[in-house]
Amino acid sequence: MPALITFGRVLFAVLFLYSGATKLFGIQATADLFTAKVTIPAVIAPYTQQIETFAGMPFMQLLAITIGAFEIIAGLMIAVNVLARFFAILLIIFVCFTTFYFHDFWNQAAPDNGKTLMEALKNLSLIGALFIIAGYGRGPRRDEPAYGDV
């Protein structure tokens, strides 16, 4: 794989590595943010209570740990180019949910939604890059022509 693509993958993964580590180092703050933004549907509330009982911690803390670990693992896998297509698709879904729940600029008044709109557009750009990674996968093999080869 060309060095620039490898370097780009590593730089791209830094965002998810940092974000996941931040969540894991501030589990309670992340859980509080999740509690403020995410509402558990009544249909699955009994299941979350069972998970809380089994894990011995609030569901939002468990969710913060799970999401932080997922971001770190997905970032590492994209950086080292192992199952990159799979983790890119999972991250596309994750970033879509994150944008919907945390960057809801459509629920804010016009002058106040500027920062949230920029965050949503940043996430849209990330989704575009993840689609490129998902489409490119591990890259061309030696016996396959590269995209630009005729």
Side-chain angles (χ1 to χ4, degrees), residues 64-107:
I65 293 168
T66 303
I67 289 176
F70 167 70
E71 283 185 294
I72 290 173
I73 292 167
L76 283 173
M77 297 303 258
I78 286 176
V80 298
N81 201 19
V82 175
L83 296 172
R85 181 173 284 158
F86 174 73
F87 281 99
I89 292 169
L90 289 180
L91 280 171
I92 288 168
I93 296 166
F94 171 74
V95 174
C96 286
F97 278 110
T98 301
T99 303
F100 179 76
Y101 282 108
F102 293 94
H103 306 299
D104 55 343
F105 61 91
W106 54 89
N107 289 331

Side-chain angles (χ1 to χ4, degrees), residues 95-133:
V95 174
C96 286
F97 278 110
T98 301
T99 303
F100 179 76
Y101 282 108
F102 293 94
H103 306 299
D104 55 343
F105 61 91
W106 54 89
N107 289 331
Q108 300 172 3
D112 297 331
N113 70 348
K115 184 176 185 293
T116 309
L117 177 60
M118 287 304 296
E119 292 291 327
L121 290 173
K122 175 201 60 123
N123 283 1
L124 185 63
S125 298
L126 288 174
I127 291 169
L130 286 164
F131 270 116
I132 291 170
I133 292 170

